Amino acid sequence: MHATLREIRKTPEGIMKAQETFEEFVTRHDFRLPREVVYTGCGSSHFLAKPLAMATTRLGGRGLSVPCSELLYAKENYPIGEPELLVAISRSGETTEAINALESLNTKRFAITAYESTLSRKADYSLIVPAHEESVVMTHSFSAFYFAYLQLLLSSFGEETYDAVFVSELTGEVLKSEDYIREIVDGFDFRNVIFLGSGILYPVALEAMLKMKEMAIFWSEAYQTFEVRHGFKSIADEGTLVVLLVEKPFDWHEKLTKEFQGQGAKVLTVGREDTGADYFIEVPRLSPPGNLFLYTPVIQLLAYYKAVKRGLNPDNPRFLSKVVKW
Ligand code: F1P
């Protein structure tokens, strides 16, 4: 079995490891997360920085996400202000840009990583979540990192934390859609794919787009849900799969589904209710910003099975390496 598939299936386990890391952190440190936080990372880790920034903002703080390279070479273009904390995310903890970016602001430094690493050693505080992966691409570690930090964020801001066992079980429920996802990929040989999501689900759409490119070397795009109608939708035709990631759909989602179907495209809705789509994956109820966990395994499986269908090895995608050094 491919390591990638094994690792996607480990999502429930990753959540539990993340909970342990969070609990250990709060026992060991008196430190609580501040309100003004800049988040940074590269690739998937950058797409994880985005929901973390959004979660910070939702909870009443101010979160900003900036890719590491931008923080290093173009930060004057971003509203960085005077943050109380810089959080750098890197699965390996050895990505050159992430290590350098951690030193780019004159503030306290926090690392989220899977290993004791250069990044964690340079940080004042770190969450080391041992969701280790063999695969080049990041899968269950994405959800695990998010969970550990979200718990810390919630507890720092005086909010109730998530029940880890419950969330872990819910991700297990979502993983049961694996056979159905494989059937979709086998039954419809789509030529391109568009991922749509709003709020916290937009970074999930971006991560889905990246997973498709990394694992399946396949053309994919991602937009904030309704933004796609403004020109971008012209590329959708009978060869297109549109993946609509939605928490609770309303009439606009149904109209959007019909609009794409009218262009000949097929729609897969992933959400709590169907939108009249060609394919539907129901996700259990879990309030945002924690609902991200219910979508990530689905989009990872979709990219995995597309890679398999295309006869590729998703564990070792062409031209890519696990750690990007400069
Ligand atoms: C960052 C990253 C991954 C990507 C690829 C190359 O790694 O861009 O997101 O999947 O493997 O590296 P890291 O800094 O999180 O270790």
Side-chain angles (χ1 to χ4, degrees), residues 116-262:
E116 282 272 356
S117 51
T118 310
L119 192 78
S120 73
R121 284 189 287 275
K122 285 203 170 181
D124 298 294
Y125 300 95
S126 53
L127 274 174
I128 302 178
V129 187
H132 298 154
E133 288 169 339
E134 239 178 80
S135 177
V136 165
V137 300
M138 197 168 170
T139 54
H140 84 302
S141 62
F142 186 96
S143 312
F145 289 180
Y146 186 72
F147 191 82
Y149 190 89
L150 193 57
Q151 295 290 70
L152 185 59
L153 197 59
L154 290 164
S155 71
S156 299
F157 285 26
E159 300 281 336
E160 206 180 313
T161 54
Y162 283 94
D163 176 339
V165 174
F166 179 64
V167 173
S168 168
E169 282 171 4
L170 287 187
T171 61
E173 283 298 307
V174 172
L175 282 165
K176 287 185 189 155
S177 59
E178 183 176 335
D179 288 345
Y180 181 58
I181 293 168
R182 182 177 208 156
E183 277 166 31
I184 295 172
V185 173
D186 284 345
F188 177 31
D189 195 12
F190 48 91
R191 278 197 313 269
N192 57 5
V193 54
I194 303 174
F195 294 97
L196 303 174
S198 177
I200 227 100
L201 296 181
Y202 174 55
V204 178
L206 289 168
E207 174 61 2
M209 176 264 289
L210 179 60
K211 289 286 88 92
M212 271 287 170
K213 287 182 174 151
E214 287 183 320
M215 284 192 224
I217 324 290
F218 193 72
W219 194 256
S220 55
E221 306 200 10
Y223 302 100
Q224 284 108 334
T225 304
F226 299 111
E227 184 60 15
V228 75
R229 299 184 65 233
H230 300 277
F232 310 101
K233 66 172 188 159
S234 67
I235 53 153
D237 58 19
E238 63 288 337
T240 304
L241 177 68
V242 178
V243 182
L244 182 54
L245 307 169
V246 55
E247 211 241 330
K248 179 118 178 61
F250 52 91
D251 57 339
W252 279 24
H253 294 95
E254 285 167 25
K255 287 206 258 185
L256 189 65
T257 301
K258 280 210 184 78
E259 194 163 318
F260 276 119
Q261 287 168 334

